[in-house]
């Protein structure tokens, strides 16, 4: 697989190099590791945001902190009223 890093895609080179530095791996292994880790981090983030012991404001602050350019977490509150 080849990843374009020329022209409009130059930002990808920086992202890949940051991943390689973060993991302390070569670029290929860093990309694979990031691809493996991201879904797990997103699931773990969802679990944190669904905790019952957090206030709505805490959840929103955590969501804002965890959001990135590619993944955004939003916290909404749903109020349902049922009448007979």
């Amino acid at each position: 697989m080849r990843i374009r890093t020329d022209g409009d895609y130059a930002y990808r080179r920086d992202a890949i190099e940051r991943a390689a530095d973060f993991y302390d791996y070569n670029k290929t292994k860093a990309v694979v590791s990031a691809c493996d880790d991201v879904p797990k981090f997103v699931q773990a983030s969802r679990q944190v945001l669904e905790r019952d012991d957090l206030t709505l404001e805490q959840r929103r602050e955590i969501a804002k902190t965890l959001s990135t350019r590619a993944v955004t977490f939003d916290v909404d509150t749903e109020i349902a009223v049922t009448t007979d």
Side-chain angles (χ1 to χ4, degrees):
M1 175 185 303
R2 297 186 191 276
I3 299 174
R4 290 187 59 186
T5 58
D6 60 329
D8 290 341
Y9 302 107
Y11 71 93
R12 292 176 177 174
R13 179 180 303 280
D14 293 335
I16 293 167
E17 288 175 358
R18 281 193 309 272
D21 289 342
F22 175 79
Y23 286 105
D24 195 24
Y25 293 157
N26 65 44
K27 293 175 189 174
T28 300
K29 189 171 180 182
V31 168
V32 171
S33 296
C35 291
D36 286 341
D37 287 347
V38 168
K40 293 175 186 175
F41 285 134
V42 169
Q43 181 57 35
S45 299
R46 286 182 177 147
Q47 288 176 338
V48 168
L49 293 171
E50 292 172 355
R51 286 180 29 184
D52 292 336
D53 62 331
L54 298 173
T55 67
L56 180 59
E57 186 60 33
Q58 288 171 322
R59 289 178 192 178
R60 286 183 175 154
E61 185 176 322
I62 292 166
K64 182 178 177 183
T65 300
L66 295 175
S67 292
T68 66
R69 179 183 58 82
V71 178
T72 302
F73 295 93
D74 291 315
V75 176
D76 293 321
T77 179
E78 182 180 316
I79 300 172
V81 177
T82 304
T83 59
D84 293 325

